[in-house]
Amino acid sequence: MNNKKFHLAGEAALLIVLLINSLGVDFMSKSGFGISTISSVPLIFNIAFPVFSFGTWNYIFQTLLVLTLMILKRSFCPGYLFSFVFGLGFGKMIDVHNAWLQMLPSTPPLNILYFVAGFLLVCFGICLANNCMLPIIPTDIFPRDLSEILKKNYKKIKTTFDLCCLTTTVVLSLVILHRFYGIGVGTVFCAFLTGKSVSLIQKFIGRHVEFYRLTGNGHMTPGGNIKRA
């Protein structure tokens, strides 16, 4: 069965993640229905302090997450350096997509389409990132590594992280903007359905795609462990 699967290099998968996840975030932001809790933090900072772009605030936020991990570990992890670079590219791509998306019309039906497209792109990107066998963006690395540092269940750490991001967004919205911004029905939608949607996409990818490394001899079938040739 494996010889019928599409073989995708992890490096290529990560490049796709860089392109589509940033586009997905911008689509959800443009829809006005709210975005994921993690993306809402740099978004609210961008609205409250527009001296930096949305993409730059994303990079600043991700950099702080990586620095926090290194401080907690009391060591420098080489993989984090790649995350810094990837985080920078992710932030820049958000600004690139945001520039041309501003030219698209905004109507209720189109806004729904923007949100759905953004949501599906992000879910698909998460699946690719989880299977690419390479260091991923800091917002994904942070809860994973923090759960290892604290020796706590990943699900609990991830939930706490998301709640902290949501609280930060709510507080900044009320204190600085005096209204909710970035949080809407779409945020609730993402909170409840992202995990299930990623799981469904993961099953599809697992049946049709096998990942491998151009820079190594590892290969992996999604849903399984990394194998060595």
Side-chain angles (χ1 to χ4, degrees), residues 6 13 48 120 140 161 171 183 204 207 215:
F6 177 76
L120 292 177
D140 292 330
F161 177 50
V171 171
I183 300 175
F204 175 81
R207 291 194 298 267
T215 55

Side-chain angles (χ1 to χ4, degrees), residues 7-213:
H7 288 69
L8 180 63
E11 292 82 355
L14 198 58
L15 178 59
I16 294 172
V17 172
L18 177 66
L19 297 175
I20 68 173
N21 268 31
S22 53
L23 178 59
V25 169
D26 277 329
F27 262 133
M28 286 193 285
S29 176
K30 182 175 179 60
S31 74
F33 291 118
I35 57 179
S36 67
T37 54
I38 294 175
S39 298
S40 68
V41 175
L43 176 63
I44 199 63
F45 270 100
N46 171 232
I47 300 302
F49 308 105
V51 63
F52 294 126
S53 68
F54 181 27
T56 300
W57 275 117
N58 263 276
Y59 181 60
I60 293 173
F61 177 55
Q62 294 180 37
T63 298
L64 290 175
L65 293 179
V66 172
L67 289 176
T68 299
L69 285 176
M70 288 194 292
I71 291 173
L72 291 175
K73 285 189 173 184
R74 298 180 182 179
S75 63
F76 174 78
C77 299
Y80 290 162
L81 181 60
F82 186 88
S83 293
F84 271 116
V85 176
F86 190 80
L88 177 60
F90 183 77
K92 293 298 183 183
M93 285 308 303
I94 283 181
D95 289 339
V96 170
H97 289 311
N98 186 58
W100 68 266
L101 282 177
Q102 295 304 314
M103 297 183 290
L104 296 181
S106 293
T107 64
L110 284 176
N111 288 340
I112 294 175
L113 180 61
Y114 296 151
F115 180 82
V116 172
F119 176 76
L120 292 177
L121 284 172
V122 169
C123 289
F124 183 67
I126 290 173
C127 288
L128 291 182
N130 288 340
N131 290 289
C132 70
M133 299 178 291
L134 290 164
I136 50 182
I137 60 177
T139 48
D140 292 330
I141 288 178
F142 185 80
R144 184 196 68 187
D145 285 15
L146 186 61
S147 66
E148 296 177 359
I149 295 172
L150 300 180
K151 301 186 185 309
K152 299 290 185 179
N153 180 270
Y154 171 82
K155 183 178 180 180
K156 293 181 179 179
I157 294 295
K158 173 62 175 172
T159 300
T160 302
F161 177 50
D162 287 345
L163 288 175
C164 288
C165 291
L166 181 61
T167 301
T168 300
T169 304
V170 170
V171 171
L172 284 176
S173 294
L174 295 178
V175 173
I176 299 178
L177 303 178
H178 308 297
R179 65 186 179 91
F180 287 116
Y181 195 97
I183 300 175
V185 64
T187 308
V188 178
F189 180 90
C190 289
F192 283 99
L193 293 180
T194 297
K196 294 180 180 179
S197 300
V198 169
S199 178
L200 289 174
I201 296 173
Q202 179 68 38
K203 290 179 180 178
F204 175 81
I205 291 178
R207 291 194 298 267
H208 299 284
V209 182
E210 181 170 323
F211 294 82
Y212 66 95
R213 289 279 302 276

